[in-house]
Amino acid sequence: FIGWFCFVLFGGVGFTALPMDLILGFIDRPRPVSPVEYNMKKNAYGNRAQELMVVGNSLKEREKELEGKKGFAIRRQKKKLTTELNKFKQAVLVLEEDWETVKRAKENKGENALLSISRLALGVITAILTLLWTIHIVFGILITINGVPLLGFLNVLLEAIEDSGVQVMATLVFAALNFHLLACVVKGCFKFGMRVFCLFPIHPMRVGDTPLNSFLFNLVLILFGTCAVVMFSHEAFRDFSRLTAADVIFGAQTRHLDFFKVFYQNNVFLFTFLVWSVVTLIYLLCKPRDESALLPNPSSGGVKAKG
């Protein structure tokens, strides 16, 4: 049940953020830069790093001042400090990514063409999967006539592949659709952490540079989300998942529990997921790129909190 909240909140964000970030990654890919442009950006990023160091030291001093103190006012100050620390971590991550982009542009003379094309292709594929899932949720689950979905859509496709004698291919397609949902959950959590700072800090997964706590955080998130994804897939592909353990657990037992059946039988989570996905799409179309939460303050030469 808790996994559904993770799936709706983060999966709804990742539904749009995953393909959009992949396509933007292709558009904003590192390109060759001249020595003059490289030195200008290097100096600018160096100045930003110095400003962030000042902010970090200030936050560290405030944290020491509040350590050991109690009271309602102190709790409010600690909560505000936690939000500012999350903003600081986000600003540092944005700076690191910007610097890595410029460094690759200088040292490698841009990004490998194969990697850029692969990112674009993956972005298009995930965009198509998102569109297919959206159509299937609306017409294959939510809209029914006498309890029967209006369209079979992906369910019919999987059954057709299975009946053709290539059962392995049907399993691979089914696995790809589910893996896409889990990838949306992880991506949505990261995107949520890059924009909303009052709940938890960001936990990015980077090759060769992922802290252990980020591994554990994302692992727990995937474990919570997996239960919801399995139940959602059973609901989406009832005919394909017939006579399975998931059919017994989710179709015959969980769905009819006294408290939880109100949510499942009325598709509360699916309606919320769909509405939240549309809201996220509109928001990300207006603000597609992640910006530093701490912007340069032109009046003082330092940095200030964004918003």
Side-chain angles (χ1 to χ4, degrees), residues 260-275:
F260 303 109
K261 67 181 181 181
V262 177
F263 296 92
Y264 298 138
Q265 294 179 2
N266 294 303
N267 293 320
V268 174
F269 289 116
L270 293 184
F271 278 111
T272 307
F273 177 84
L274 198 62
V275 172

Side-chain angles (χ1 to χ4, degrees), residues 49-67 77 80-82 84-86 88 92 294 302-305:
Q50 292 292 334
E51 293 168 354
L52 287 175
M53 287 180 64
V54 174
V55 174
N57 291 331
S58 174
L59 293 174
K60 189 174 181 180
E61 291 177 2
R62 288 174 56 189
E63 188 176 23
K64 288 182 179 179
E65 292 175 359
L66 295 175
E67 189 175 356
Q77 292 181 40
K80 183 179 179 181
L81 178 61
T82 300
E84 292 180 5
L85 283 170
N86 292 340
F88 173 74
V92 171
L294 299 176
V303 295
K304 62 178 180 179

Side-chain angles (χ1 to χ4, degrees), residues 38-52 94-95 97-103:
Y38 171 76
N39 289 328
M40 289 177 58
K41 291 187 176 182
K42 181 179 179 180
N43 292 333
Y45 293 151
N47 293 333
R48 281 174 57 186
Q50 292 292 334
E51 293 168 354
L52 287 175
V94 170
L95 177 59
E97 291 179 345
D98 289 345
W99 170 239
E100 286 298 325
T101 299
V102 173
K103 207 161 77 166

Side-chain angles (χ1 to χ4, degrees), residues 43 45 48 88 95 100 120 123 146 148 163 167 169-170 178 188 192 194 205 216 223 239 243 249 281 292-293 302 305:
N43 292 333
Y45 293 151
R48 281 174 57 186
F88 173 74
L95 177 59
E100 286 298 325
L120 176 62
N146 296 325
V148 180
D163 294 339
Q167 288 85 357
M169 184 59 66
N178 285 274
F192 192 87
M194 291 290 286
M205 301 283 285
L216 295 176
L223 290 176
D239 295 334
L243 303 178
I249 295 172
L281 172 62
S292 176

Side-chain angles (χ1 to χ4, degrees), residues 91-149:
V92 171
L93 180 64
V94 170
L95 177 59
E96 288 177 350
E97 291 179 345
D98 289 345
W99 170 239
E100 286 298 325
T101 299
V102 173
K103 207 161 77 166
R104 287 200 304 270
K106 176 67 168 59
E107 296 175 355
N108 303 329
K109 296 182 179 180
E111 189 176 60
N112 185 287
L114 182 60
L115 181 60
S116 299
I117 294 173
S118 299
R119 186 181 289 113
L120 176 62
L122 192 58
V124 173
I125 291 172
T126 52
I128 293 173
L129 288 175
T130 295
L131 179 61
L132 292 176
W133 267 121
T134 303
I135 296 174
H136 187 74
I137 291 172
V138 175
F139 298 102
I141 302 178
L142 298 181
I143 300 179
T144 59
I145 300 176
N146 296 325
V148 180

Side-chain angles (χ1 to χ4, degrees), residues 17-31 101 104 111-112 115-121 123 187 191 288-289:
L18 181 61
M20 184 175 289
D21 278 7
L22 287 169
I23 295 173
L24 286 176
F26 170 78
I27 296 173
D28 299 334
R29 66 190 182 278
R31 291 179 171 84
T101 299
R104 287 200 304 270
E111 189 176 60
N112 185 287
L115 181 60
S116 299
I117 294 173
S118 299
R119 186 181 289 113
L120 176 62
K187 180 62 180 179
K191 180 65 70 173
R289 292 174 174 83

